[in-house]
């Protein structure tokens, strides 16, 4: 991935730092694409320490003086983005470096939600919880070699995200409580239509169905306003009415286009649809196929396309801005892809990829055992034999209580051990219940007439 074209550093010391950082980034890139072995913690930490050292040198060179952003700043960002995803890959999700990439994605999402004036309370609630969690990680980082610079940088990024988030939250608060479900429904309908619009096979009937829902919402108004039971105009009525009009206008545009996208914008459209579809597949198979560092290339592609806009819009070869339909469609695809990346990151388990095969098997076993329990249990202990055998085979893989991979002890031992214990507990509960049911159903022996004693 080429770093965007921006000025090279003028200071000789900064140029030397740039060369060393590029070498580190190249090593990270090579490690990212190497699938022959799992990512080892010690390999990541060596490159992390090297990066932190170069940033320390850079800070000393600048001596606290503000400097115009140049190429070295972009390469620093690339290194920290990669290292952040590597920390997730090795299962160190609860350490400060892992928070870096997530703050970048949240900031992008918040910027897009602000620009589009289209968001739900649930969108904001999720990001608010995530930022709170990241803030706790930064302040209570378990890193053995904390970097004050990085922790300060991430803390500043979190605060910038919170500032953007609070502006959006105030907009939600400006809508009366009874109207908020209507606002969320309109956002949902508009997003559903955007999905239909970008499907390989366009379905006008699906758009008409959403249009009918919009008409029903519009009929709830009285004299063009949303009112309460007493006929009082609800706070935010005009904003919701404008959103409704925006949705209806979008239905007209989408139906007129009938799934046909202008040829001159097809190259960028196809790239974005491809990214969206690949991320969608990863979201379905995340536990088995995702290496968090895979998200780097998707994020950088999206960043490049997003940053290529001029005054919020894309320009064609002759410098003319894209029409509204094209702009909205491309922005939807970018926002949707950032959304996928965000959810993939927050769903990342604090377990090294070396232990993920075991962890995923235990997750599947737990789901099966819970399903068996919820469906009434088993009628015979024999039915639990396959689960018991699998659990004991996994338990026997431990060496001195640890899951080893060669001579290494991968991160995430606690999470795997806890999940294994949960599975054993579920299996035990089902076995006890089955044994109790068997004893209850066994008829008592009749009395022996010759013994003279009742049994």
């Amino acid at each position: 991935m080429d770093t965007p074209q921006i000025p090279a550093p003028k200071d000789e010391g900064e140029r030397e730092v740039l060369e060393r950082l590029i070498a580190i980034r190249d090593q990270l890139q090579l490690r990212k694409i190497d699938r022959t072995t799992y990512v080892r913690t010690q390999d990541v930490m060596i490159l992390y320490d090297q990066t932190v050292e170069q940033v320390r040198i850079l800070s000393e060179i600048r001596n606290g003086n503000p400097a115009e952003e140049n190429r070295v700043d972009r390469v620093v960002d690339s290194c920290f983005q990669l290292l952040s995803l590597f920390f997730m890959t090795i299962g160190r999700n609860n350490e400060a470096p892992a928070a870096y990439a997530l703050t970048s994605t949240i900031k992008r999402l918040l910027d897009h939600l602000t620009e589009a004036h289209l968001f739900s309370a649930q969108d904001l609630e999720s990001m608010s919880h995530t930022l709170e969690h990241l803030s706790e990680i930064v302040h209570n980082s378990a890193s053995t070699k904390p970097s004050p610079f990085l922790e300060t940088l991430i803390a500043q990024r979190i605060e910038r995200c919170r500032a953007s988030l609070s502006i959006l939250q105030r907009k939600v608060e400006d809508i009366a409580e009874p109207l908020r479900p209507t606002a969320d429904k309109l956002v949902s309908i508009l997003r559903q239509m955007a999905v239909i619009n970008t499907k390989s096979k366009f379905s006008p009937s699906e758009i008409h169905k959403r249009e009918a829902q919009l008409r029903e919402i519009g009929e709830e108004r009285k004299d063009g306003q949303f009112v309460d039971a007493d006929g009082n105009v609800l706070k935010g009525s005009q904003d919701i009415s404008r959103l409704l009009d925006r949705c209806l206008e979008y239905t007209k545009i989408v139906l007129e286009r009938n799934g046909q996208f202008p040829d001159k914008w097809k190259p960028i459209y196809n790239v974005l649809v491809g990214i969206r579809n690949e991320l969608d597949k990863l979201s379905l198979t995340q536990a088995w196929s995702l290496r968090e560092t895979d998200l780097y290339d998707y994020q950088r592609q999206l960043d490049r396309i997003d940053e290529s806009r001029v005054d919020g819009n894309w320009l064609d070869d002759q410098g003319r801005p894209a029409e509204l339909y094209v702009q909205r469609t491309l922005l939807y695809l970018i926002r949707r892809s950032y959304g996928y990346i965000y959810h993939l990151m927050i769903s990342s388990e604090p377990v090294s990829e070396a232990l993920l095969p075991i962890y995923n098997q235990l997750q599947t076993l737990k789901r099966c055992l819970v399903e068996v329990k919820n469906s009434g249990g088993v009628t015979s202990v024999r039915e639990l034999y396959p689960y018991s055998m699998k659990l004991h085979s996994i338990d026997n893989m431990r060496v001195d209580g640890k899951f080893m991979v060669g001579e290494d002890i991968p991160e995430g031992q606690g999470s795997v051990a806890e999940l294994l214990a949960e599975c054993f507990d579920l299996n035990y509960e089902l076995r006890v219940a089955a044994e109790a049911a068997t004893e209850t159903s066994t008829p008592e022996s009749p009395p022996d007439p010759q013994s003279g004693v009742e049994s």
Side-chain angles (χ1 to χ4, degrees):
M1 211 294 297
D2 293 331
T3 302
Q5 291 298 315
I6 56 174
K10 298 177 182 178
D11 182 87
E12 179 62 30
E14 286 198 23
R15 285 198 291 268
E16 292 176 2
V17 169
L18 175 61
E19 289 179 9
R20 289 191 286 268
L21 284 170
I22 289 175
I24 294 170
R25 187 193 62 184
D26 290 346
Q27 290 182 64
L28 288 166
Q29 289 273 34
L30 289 172
R31 191 66 196 85
K32 177 176 71 69
I33 62 177
D34 183 6
R35 293 277 185 169
T36 57
T37 59
Y38 73 91
V39 178
R40 299 166 67 220
T41 299
Q42 51 267 48
D43 295 339
V44 173
M45 294 310 297
I46 289 172
L47 293 170
Y48 171 72
D49 290 341
Q50 291 176 1
T51 303
V52 169
E53 175 62 16
Q54 293 309 309
V55 170
R56 184 191 64 76
I57 295 171
L58 180 64
S59 297
E60 290 180 355
I61 292 172
R62 293 178 173 177
N63 196 26
N65 297 319
E68 181 183 355
E69 185 182 58
N70 58 45
R71 196 174 177 216
V72 70
D73 297 289
R74 287 299 183 97
V75 178
V76 167
D77 177 65
S78 294
C79 289
F80 278 141
Q81 288 280 357
L82 279 163
L83 285 165
S84 180
L85 294 170
F86 268 113
F87 265 70
M88 293 185 194
T89 303
I90 63 176
R92 298 177 78 158
N93 302 47
N94 296 321
E95 297 183 21
Y100 189 92
L102 194 46
T103 56
S104 298
T105 303
I106 291 175
K107 188 65 172 70
R108 288 277 181 180
L109 276 173
L110 288 169
D111 288 345
H112 274 278
L113 294 178
T114 301
E115 178 184 6
H117 302 291
L118 188 72
F119 50 87
S120 67
Q122 289 85 349
D123 294 335
L124 306 186
E125 186 178 354
S126 171
M127 284 186 273
S128 178
H129 286 316
T130 302
L131 288 171
E132 187 65 33
H133 176 62
L134 294 181
S135 185
E136 291 175 6
I137 288 174
V138 172
H139 290 108
N140 305 306
S141 179
S143 178
T144 54
K145 294 183 180 180
S147 166
F149 169 83
L150 181 58
E151 291 173 7
T152 301
L153 177 61
I154 296 173
Q156 291 171 346
R157 290 159 72 95
I158 290 172
E159 288 309 309
R160 283 197 292 270
C161 289
R162 279 179 167 164
S164 298
L165 182 65
S166 64
I167 293 172
L168 298 180
Q169 287 172 329
R170 285 197 292 271
K171 291 183 179 180
V172 172
E173 292 166 1
D174 286 339
I175 300 172
E177 192 73 37
L179 258 185
R180 291 178 191 175
T182 302
D184 289 347
K185 187 173 182 181
L186 288 172
V187 170
S188 176
I189 290 173
L190 191 54
R191 288 175 175 173
Q192 289 170 32
M193 291 193 294
V195 172
I196 296 165
N197 178 50
T198 54
K199 283 185 175 179
S200 56
K201 187 175 181 181
F202 181 72
S203 174
S205 63
E206 291 295 316
I207 297 295
H208 286 302
K209 190 184 299 181
R210 272 70 182 181
E211 186 179 22
Q213 294 174 354
L214 294 171
R215 301 287 182 196
E216 289 178 8
I217 293 174
E219 290 170 3
E220 296 174 6
R221 293 180 292 184
K222 290 184 179 180
D223 298 327
Q225 298 282 1
F226 290 96
V227 298
D228 60 17
D230 298 325
N232 300 313
V233 176
L234 289 166
K235 184 182 179 182
S237 173
Q238 288 187 340
D239 292 332
I240 302 304
S241 291
R242 280 194 289 269
L243 179 56
L244 175 60
D245 293 340
R246 177 179 170 185
C247 292
L248 289 169
E249 181 64 27
Y250 187 65
T251 61
K252 293 179 184 177
I253 296 173
V254 171
L255 288 169
E256 286 173 3
R257 293 293 177 158
N258 199 35
Q260 300 301 312
F261 205 78
D263 289 339
K264 66 179 177 180
W265 295 107
K266 267 294 183 68
I268 186 173
Y269 174 81
N270 290 337
V271 169
L272 288 173
V273 168
I275 293 173
R276 192 270 312 267
N277 292 346
E278 287 177 28
L279 289 169
D280 181 49
K281 290 177 184 175
L282 279 175
S283 70
L284 297 174
T285 61
Q286 175 182 11
W288 300 97
S289 60
L290 176 69
R291 174 186 272 186
E292 283 80 359
T293 51
D294 295 340
L295 299 175
Y296 177 80
D297 290 334
Y298 295 119
Q299 198 163 24
R300 281 312 196 210
Q301 278 183 284
L302 292 170
D303 291 350
R304 281 204 305 270
I305 294 172
D306 196 20
E307 292 168 4
S308 67
R309 291 189 288 159
V310 177
D311 295 328
N313 203 352
W314 288 272
L315 305 179
D316 62 15
D317 294 338
Q318 298 179 354
R320 293 173 300 192
E323 58 188 290
L324 184 62
Y325 170 75
V326 171
Q327 182 191 23
R328 285 188 177 178
T329 301
L330 297 180
L331 283 173
Y332 155 73
L333 289 168
I334 289 176
R335 279 194 292 271
R336 189 73 187 97
S337 296
Y338 278 130
Y340 274 126
I341 290 174
Y342 167 74
H343 285 290
L344 287 166
M345 285 184 180
I346 64 174
S347 301
S348 174
E349 300 287 355
V351 176
S352 167
E353 68 169 350
L355 291 184
L356 273 180
I358 298 172
Y359 188 81
N360 291 335
Q361 289 178 57
L362 289 171
Q363 288 274 44
T364 302
L365 273 170
K366 181 181 176 180
R367 282 194 294 269
C368 292
L369 289 166
V370 169
E371 185 63 32
V372 170
K373 182 180 178 180
N374 292 339
S375 61
V378 295
T379 57
S380 167
V381 174
R382 186 180 293 274
E383 294 178 46
L384 294 173
Y385 284 175
Y387 302 110
S388 299
M389 290 174 64
K390 184 61 179 177
L391 286 171
H392 282 98
S393 70
I394 292 175
D395 192 32
N396 291 335
M397 294 170 65
R398 293 199 277 190
V399 178
D400 295 330
K402 302 288 186 182
F403 290 97
M404 305 282 290
V405 178
E407 298 297 318
D408 298 328
I409 304 176
E411 303 281 344
Q413 297 286 330
S415 297
V416 177
E418 182 181 352
L419 187 54
L420 178 60
E422 289 177 15
C423 290
F424 270 120
D425 288 344
L426 281 167
N427 194 58
Y428 178 74
E429 288 176 25
L430 289 167
R431 181 165 64 84
V432 169
E435 288 173 347
T438 302
E439 291 174 3
T440 303
S441 63
T442 303
E444 293 185 358
S445 302
D448 185 350
Q450 297 184 6
S451 67
V453 180
E454 292 186 359
S455 59

